[in-house]
Every structure is written in structure tokens, then in C-alpha cells.
Amino acid sequence: MRAAVLHETGQDKLEVLDDVEAVGFGPGKVKIRVRATGLCHSDISAMNGVLPQPAPFVPGHEGAGEITDVGDGVAGLSVGQRVLVCWLPACGACPSCKRGQTQLCLAGFMNAGTPNFKRPGGDVFGFAGTGTFAEEVVVDAGCAVPIPDDVPFDIAALIGCGVTTGLGSAINTADVAAGSSVAVIGCGGVGISAIQGARLKGAAQIVAVDPVESRREAALKFGATEAVAPDALGDAKQRITAGEGFDYVFEVVGKSATARTAYETTRRGGTLVVVGAGAMDDVLQLNMFELFFDEKRILPSMYGGGDVLTSYERAIALWRAGRIDLESLITHRVPLAEINEALDQMRTGSALRTCIEI
Ligand SMILES: [Zn+2]
Ligand SMILES: [Zn+2]
């Protein structure tokens, strides 16, 4: 079957090959025919080494499709069922799951060193244990989450990562207060979803911050009350908050420089929400005086910071009711053969989300 493979970490192009086989099928597993997959910024971060990931590997972790085979011992899933791929399934039994923080469950990462694919040249891994830039994947049954019939594959794929991450950061992690002021730094698919979440929670001002003009224009359509380039953020802070800083600032880039800006743009006693996935060697500096004296709350948000299955259901309900716009998040559609064009669209910032149709 066909899959897009990164041969070595640091390369910027994928090779679409047709000699790849999804491996590991057996008890507790399901096989999925992938139909749509979103290109998330984390895929690029895994390719360039910002996020740890063994290579060669098939990127992609935001996907949806149909189940084609069900392993022994799997309950509640059947062949033909439409599912989205959850890259962080909760085991239900570990200390994190037991205390209700299922988004911190590490059970799904236990297979990280196990290849998900093979080809004549050898073993191939799947990003985050999935690897949805492929026609077929084999995953733990917990990674296959059934979706209602009225949810198209492309929308379901987005809910599998970016939408859940962004919406959840505003609704679960920050629990944005009605009437508050919000700034969102980084307005790709996740940032736009954070904007939609802040709007749903009743934020009075939502300032979108992004260097790319098309993204700033898009942010206004999704609920931002104004959109500025990064060098105009200081002015916006002055104008909108009288210099005090925003009640909530969302960092959706994953860099220490933008996190530092976000910290400085948060008001004393306000909340900095860290959503972007950054590198282990990129260190955010805070001095001990400001940390204590300004009492800013720093809240990291992993996969939306709540139970992901609950977050999926909420996203579907909000989408179905027309309260969030997910269709417009998909600005580009390409077949798997044009995956490298999709990567370029992501790098230049011209895409909010590119849907790869497989
Ligand atoms: Zn993602
Ligand atoms: Zn667990």
C-alpha cells in the first residue's frame, strides 16, 4: 500500500512509496483504511527533529477512516465502522487516568519504539504510534474512536488533533471567563480553534497575532475581534488593556521567544496558556522575582487539557449546531501524491489546515 515516508530526521521532503505494509495487527488491534488526514504542525516538528521521533517514519497523526479488520479481544468496534484516530488513547488504569487526567496517560507511548510499518528496505515507524499519511494503519483499539455518520472524514480528522487541542485549551485548561480579554499568538489550525473556544466562552476581546496576513484575515472570520502582526502586539496591549496586559494569552507557536512575549503580554494575575509543542533544548527564562511578584498563572495544555473522548463529542456537538466552523479551517486539499506541496503550504503559513485525501 502507499504511504509517505521520511527517511531521515532533518529532511524536508517525504517520499510517497507503494511498497509499505502496516504491521503489528493482532489481539487488541484494529486495521484502518485511512480516508482523510490533516497536516498538523507537529508533523513538521517531528520531521525536523523538534519533537522526538525515531526514523524512518510515516508522519501524520490527525486522521479518520474505516475499520477493515478487528483483532481478537476488541469490544465495541466492527469492520466497516467509521472512526477517527486518537494518538493519545487513555488506558483507564494508570495513575493519571485514575485521577481523571486522561490526557496525561502515557500508555499509548509505550509502543513508541515498535515499528508500525515495514517495507523491503526495513522497519518504518509511525509518528506518535499512528502514521496516518498512509492508506492503511494498524493501531491499538483505543486509538480508533467511532464517529457519527453525519461527520465527514475530513472534519473528523481535524477533531482528532488540532481542533480538540485548540478548543480544549480555551474551554478546559483556561476556562476563559465571560467578558475577559484574550490574545492568541499563532493562528494556524490550533490557534484558530483556540479563538473559537474563547469566543464560545464569551471573551469580550480576542486579539489574533500572526505574521501572515491571510491568517490574520481568517482569524477575524472565526471570532477574533482584531488581528495584528507580532510587532503590533505591544500597541494592542496598550490600547485594549491600558497597558495592564490581557487576562489570557495563548502561546500556540511552541517557541521560548513567543512564550516570553506571551508572558509579558499577560496581565499580573492573568493566565498564560502554553499550547504550542516545542523543543527540549529551547528554554523559557523567567526570573524568580517576576514569577512570584506578578502571580501570573502558567497553564500548559496537552491535547486540549481534558478527557479527549469528551472533547471529541463536544466538538462534534458544537460543529453540528453550527457554533464552530470546521469546514473553513480546511483551506487546502491535496491527494497523498502531492504531500510535499502540502508541507510547503504549511511552512509558508498559507494554510490553516491542509486535508490530505487518501
Ligand atoms: Zn497534531
Ligand atoms: Zn492511563
Side-chain angles (χ1 to χ4, degrees):
M1 63 102 183
R2 286 188 318 145
V5 175
L6 185 85
H7 295 291
E8 278 176 46
T9 302
Q11 292 176 332
D12 61 357
K13 294 235 179 312
L14 300 175
E15 189 177 3
V16 180
L17 299 162
D18 58 11
D19 59 2
V20 184
E21 187 189 336
V23 297
F25 182 73
K29 304 277 185 175
V30 295
K31 194 177 275 187
I32 300 171
R33 171 66 175 89
V34 180
R35 294 292 176 189
T37 179
L39 175 52
C40 180
H41 205 273
S42 300
D43 296 311
I44 290 177
S45 297
M47 290 172 64
N48 63 25
V50 165
L51 296 179
Q53 168 64 39
F57 73 98
V58 176
H61 59 287
E62 188 183 272
E66 298 138 346
I67 292 183
T68 54
D69 214 346
V70 178
D72 290 341
V74 174
L77 295 172
S78 54
V79 171
Q81 204 160 16
R82 303 165 76 257
V83 293
L84 68 73
V85 175
C86 169
W87 54 267
L88 193 67
C91 74
C94 73
S96 291
C97 286
K98 281 184 178 160
R99 55 172 83 95
Q101 293 179 306
T102 53
Q103 80 279 14
L104 299 182
C105 179
L106 291 176
F109 285 99
M110 294 308 171
N111 299 328
T114 310
N116 301 69
F117 304 94
K118 73 172 182 195
R119 51 182 299 261
D123 290 337
V124 179
F125 298 92
F127 179 39
T130 54
T132 55
F133 293 177
E135 289 177 331
E136 213 168 66
V137 291
V138 170
V139 294
D140 283 338
C143 296
V145 180
I147 51 171
D149 286 343
D150 64 332
V151 182
F153 289 128
D154 53 2
I155 298 294
L158 264 54
I159 291 172
C161 185
V163 167
T164 293
T165 299
L167 273 185
S169 70
I171 299 174
N172 299 329
T173 305
D175 192 13
V176 170
S180 58
S181 60
V182 170
V184 177
I185 302 178
C187 299
V190 177
I192 295 283
S193 298
I195 288 170
Q196 299 208 73
R199 190 201 69 220
L200 286 169
K201 294 288 287 180
Q205 285 99 18
I206 305 173
V207 178
V209 186
D210 199 284
V212 180
E213 191 181 357
S214 62
R215 287 188 170 189
R216 296 199 296 272
E217 283 169 10
L220 295 171
K221 296 189 186 117
F222 286 95
T225 52
E226 68 177 281
V228 298
D231 60 5
L233 177 57
D235 172 63
K237 172 186 165 189
Q238 197 61 41
R239 215 166 7 86
I240 294 168
T241 72
E244 197 188 1
F246 294 89
D247 296 319
Y248 304 88
V249 180
F250 292 78
E251 199 279 351
V252 200
V253 179
K255 292 210 165 92
S256 59
T258 37
R260 181 68 217 182
T261 300
Y263 184 82
E264 287 166 7
T265 312
T266 305
R267 71 163 165 81
R268 293 185 70 219
T271 303
L272 162 60
V273 187
V274 181
V275 189
M280 289 188 193
D281 60 355
D282 185 11
V283 178
L284 170 65
Q285 287 206 325
L286 299 168
N287 71 58
M288 290 305 290
F289 178 77
E290 63 187 356
L291 191 57
F292 152 77
F293 189 72
D294 291 334
E295 215 182 84
K296 298 180 185 182
R297 296 184 300 157
I298 302 174
L299 300 183
S301 183
M302 171 83 168
Y303 210 165
D307 179 68
V308 293
L309 299 182
T310 308
S311 294
Y312 293 162
E313 285 185 17
R314 184 177 59 204
I316 290 169
L318 290 166
W319 165 78
R320 197 181 271 143
R323 305 269 287 155
I324 53 173
D325 178 1
L326 303 185
E327 282 83 356
S328 307
L329 266 183
I330 303 170
T331 51
H332 297 69
R333 286 175 193 277
V334 300
L336 187 61
E338 291 168 27
I339 183 77
N340 288 307
E341 283 86 333
L343 290 169
D344 287 341
Q345 287 156 3
M346 191 79 176
R347 290 193 188 98
T348 59
S350 66
L352 294 178
R353 263 296 186 270
T354 301
C355 177
I356 297 141
E357 294 168 330
I358 300 180

